[in-house]
Structure formats: structure tokens, C-alpha cells
Amino acid sequence: MKSAGKVIAAVFLVFLASSSFGRPAYVPAFGHFAILIHDVSPGYMAELKEITGVINEYDLQNETYLFVIPNHGGEKPLCRYPAFVEFLKELEREGYHIELHGYTHVGREFDCNADRAEEKLELGLGEFRKCGLPYPRYFIAPRYALSKDALDVLLGHNITVIGQNFIYFPNGEVEHICNREYTWYLDEGALPQELSMAEGAYLSVRGTSSSPFIQRPLTPGPEWNS
């Protein structure tokens, strides 16, 4: 268990350059960088406590966005887990941002038509409301699988959508983002190389190099699914 704990603690540094459990999007809206933690749900409460404990040591609460699954697997609605919801509210009071990550996270649930996307979104927002969580400003589709119809639905609800390579704003602007993924349930053997890559990416957004940003009208892009 001790070595596993070391891996979890070290993975935090990798979050500065992204992971499946957290991806930063280097866009002006986030400043130099952001820590985006995916798959936040009651089943990962212990891991979330460990990760946020490390984040707190570096006073990066305001840079951290927690992407919450409202009903993970269709079996874990947030309202059934009051201790977890209270922990999320505590994190919000500390400066963390509570955001939306699909509804059940099953399959490509937002690669769908507009009616289905509206239904899924309303279910997710409804779960947030029942739990007293804030209205989300950002959304990431599970597996980044997102149809153009679903994207339009989300933007119509004044929610900014983060894709794998672009971020889509409700006002119609689109910006390219430098998303880097270095970890996926990382084991110790792969940690040194991935950590080095993450540190390099972190330095690049601290002033040693710049990332290009693209602003243009909202038109179908390469990561939209038909």
C-alpha cells in the first residue's frame, strides 16, 4: 500500500500536464493551466480525497476542476451518497470547481441525437439540483464522444464544452487546446518518463514557450461525430 500511495501522490504532478483522471486545457480562460479531474463519483471517494489532499498542499484548489458523473453506471445517483456530496460541497468552498462529466458515463452516451442529449443533460442537471450542487460551467463528454447535435444542446444551456483538441464556447467561439495525456492508471514503472514529460509541459505554460490559440466561428470540426 505504501508504494501505491507514492504513485498516487506523484500522479498529481502529472495532472499538471494531463491524465484520464485529470486533463488540463491550456486556454486563456484557465490562465496558465488547469487541473481537470475526470470520473469523479462516489466509487472513487478515497482516491479523490488522496488526490485533493496533495492539491491542497500546493494551494491549487482554484485551478482544479472536478468533472462529476451524476449517476455512474446508471447505478450510483449522487443523491444516494450524502457523504460524498457533502465532500464535494466542502471542496467547492475551498475553491474547487464542480463540473459535469456526462450522466452515466456508459458507452458513447452523448454521441446521440438532440432529443436524447437533452434528456441526458436534464437528468444530469437534475441530479446536481437535488444535491444542491452548483450549475456547471463546463462539460466533458465521456470518452470525448460527442455528436454535433449534442454539442448544440449543451451550448444552448450556456455550458462550455471541452473536447480533446478544442474548447467550444456558448457564444460560438472555438479555441484550440493543448491537451496532453500522460497517465492512465499509471504504474510505478512508467512513472519517471511520464513525470518528465508532464514537467516539460508544465514549464511550457509557465512562460518558456507559448501555445497557439485559434478563435473562429463555430463550424463542424474534426472531433465532432456525425
Side-chain angles (χ1 to χ4, degrees), residues 18 23-28 30 36 38 139-141 143-146 151 161-169 173-181 211-216 219 221-225:
S18 136
R23 284 175 179 267
Y26 308 146
V27 299
F30 292 142
L36 310 190
H38 290 207
F139 176 93
I140 296 177
R143 300 169 182 84
Y144 293 105
L146 186 69
L151 176 65
V161 178
I162 299 173
Q164 194 162 12
N165 300 301
F166 296 90
I167 184 167
Y168 307 93
F169 297 95
E173 291 185 353
V174 184
E175 290 185 8
H176 182 266
I177 56 176
C178 297
N179 243 334
R180 296 291 182 267
E181 181 167 347
S211 301
F213 302 116
I214 302 172
Q215 293 191 356
R216 60 177 181 271
T219 55
E223 62 185 12
W224 280 323
N225 301 307

Side-chain angles (χ1 to χ4, degrees), residues 88-120:
L88 290 180
K89 292 179 180 178
E90 177 184 326
L91 292 175
E92 185 197 9
R93 289 191 291 269
E94 293 175 4
Y96 289 84
H97 306 268
I98 309 299
E99 310 299 348
L100 191 60
H101 189 36
Y103 175 57
T104 65
H105 205 286
V106 173
R108 300 167 64 89
E109 64 177 346
F110 277 83
D111 185 8
C112 60
N113 61 38
D115 289 342
R116 185 62 171 158
E118 185 75 42
E119 177 187 359
K120 289 277 190 177

Side-chain angles (χ1 to χ4, degrees), residues 8 13 36 41 61 66 88 102 120 162 170 176 201 204 212 223 226:
I8 291 289
L13 296 176
L36 310 190
S41 70
Q61 297 92 327
L66 306 176
L88 290 180
K120 289 277 190 177
I162 299 173
H176 182 266
S204 76
E223 62 185 12
S226 58

